[in-house]
Amino acid sequence: MKSSLGLEAKLPVLDLLKEAIVLLWEKRNIVIPMFLPVIFVLATIDFISEVYFSPVVTDDAQVVEVDPIVEAGQSMKQLGMSLIAMLFSILMATAAHRFTLLPSDQWHANGLHRWGKNEWRYLGRAVVIGFIAGIAALVPFFIGAATGSQEGMAIGDTIGGLIAMYLFGRLSITLPEVAIGKQGDLKRAWALSEGNGTRMVIVVLLIPIAMIIPAAILYWLESHLATYFALLVVYVGSLISVTILSLSYQFLIDFYEPESLTTEVLSEKLEQPAEKEGESGRFDA
């Protein structure tokens, strides 16, 4: 995609990371009551799953053999808890996107808000993106497996993984749009992220992975308290990552479609009283 002047946007990833952190910090009096409850809920769900429903029982750091039926039951419980956590994660994500991109009167009062149409669409879009990325990754995987050599399989796995990351990164730019209730398809997401594939991989995948590193260090302490704190760190990092994705979407929209943003803002001003300074959720990227 190119602007009306024939220019192509280049996402300033590090600037967006800094702006996401600054935004959340400067609005911490709003962010903490809005997102801390859902972060605690998510951390608690994962903690229960990790500590009480782990399929491998340990005793004094030694692995204890368990009955296959019991292990299967524990695995099913973990899967159920993971699905519940996923639903709460979507609630947090849609609330974060709206907080970053919309005026304050359109924010959700809390990350634990009512599940609605936008959440279903967000879930469906994320599943479709994951499916496309997974299917694309299988092609080089099977080609590598067909060679019958370990080297061929390794090369196929690597290429497949890179393709999946690239597709997932580029198509994820549509998620903030879905969260704020706008209609946007994957073709539009592909066009909007054109020329920023590597940058979107950094925004969507590499930055979140980097934020998990402190949590991984806490996991090594093998303490229940450290494990719970590590999960809190993971979800705080997730909130920052979602905010960066929102700012990336806003940056590209501001660059390629400034007229649509202007129309939207003018419409809001005609329909509502003027907002006081600092009340708008928009953050210039």
Side-chain angles (χ1 to χ4, degrees):
M1 180 178 285
K2 294 185 183 296
S3 70
S4 57
L5 298 177
L7 303 175
E8 194 172 83
K10 299 297 181 184
L11 282 173
V13 176
L14 293 180
D15 288 342
L16 293 174
L17 171 59
K18 181 179 70 174
E19 289 182 7
I21 295 172
V22 169
L23 170 62
L24 295 173
W25 176 252
E26 288 187 345
K27 294 183 177 291
R28 59 190 179 278
N29 59 322
I30 300 173
V31 170
I32 291 174
M34 184 182 290
F35 294 107
L36 195 59
V38 70
I39 287 175
F40 271 115
V41 169
L42 284 164
T44 301
I45 291 172
D46 283 352
F47 179 80
I48 292 173
S49 177
E50 175 75 19
V51 174
Y52 298 105
F53 296 151
S54 176
V56 178
V57 178
T58 60
D59 182 21
D60 296 329
Q62 298 296 320
V63 177
V64 178
E65 292 186 3
V66 295
D67 185 272
I69 297 178
V70 173
E71 186 170 4
Q74 294 291 84
S75 297
M76 291 302 297
K77 290 177 183 178
Q78 273 201 323
L79 176 60
M81 297 297 280
S82 296
L83 292 175
I84 293 172
M86 179 190 68
L87 297 179
F88 278 105
S89 295
I90 290 175
L91 291 179
M92 183 175 77
T94 53
H97 288 309
R98 297 182 72 86
F99 169 78
T100 308
L101 297 170
L102 296 178
S104 58
D105 65 302
Q106 298 183 48
W107 294 346
H108 289 300
N110 195 287
L112 294 170
H113 57 88
R114 184 175 61 87
W115 186 278
K117 179 177 66 176
N118 289 337
E119 283 68 37
W120 283 117
R121 291 182 61 233
Y122 196 96
L123 172 60
R125 185 62 56 86
V127 169
V128 170
I129 292 172
F131 179 78
I132 291 173
I135 292 298
L138 288 177
V139 176
F141 170 78
F142 284 128
I143 292 175
T147 65
S149 66
Q150 292 293 329
E151 293 80 4
M153 292 179 64
I155 293 173
D157 289 348
T158 301
I159 295 176
L162 292 174
I163 291 174
M165 291 171 63
Y166 182 80
L167 291 174
F168 191 85
R170 283 194 60 175
L171 296 177
S172 291
I173 196 65
T174 190
L175 293 176
E177 198 164 52
V178 172
I180 62 176
K182 289 190 174 183
Q183 300 295 327
D185 55 22
L186 295 179
K187 182 178 179 180
R188 169 177 161 78
W190 189 257
L192 196 61
S193 61
E194 184 179 356
N196 286 288
T198 302
R199 295 177 181 85
M200 286 305 303
V201 170
I202 295 172
V203 167
V204 176
L205 296 171
L206 299 188
I207 289 179
I209 290 173
M211 291 184 176
I212 292 177
I213 293 175
I217 295 173
L218 288 170
Y219 269 119
W220 291 342
L221 299 178
E222 296 184 353
S223 159
H224 285 350
L225 181 60
T227 297
Y228 191 82
F229 190 73
L231 291 169
L232 292 176
V233 170
V234 167
Y235 284 111
V236 169
S238 297
L239 177 59
I240 296 173
S241 300
V242 171
T243 305
I244 299 170
L245 179 58
S246 293
L247 293 175
S248 300
Y249 168 77
Q250 182 179 313
F251 179 90
L252 294 173
I253 289 297
D254 287 351
F255 190 90
Y256 290 124
E257 303 174 4
E259 67 284 349
S260 66
L261 181 61
T262 303
T263 302
E264 177 186 341
V265 171
L266 287 175
S267 175
E268 288 167 357
K269 287 186 176 180
L270 288 173
E271 293 175 2
Q272 337 170 356
E275 295 175 345
K276 296 180 182 178
E277 185 179 356
E279 286 189 349
S280 173
R282 298 190 181 280
F283 192 78
D284 294 333

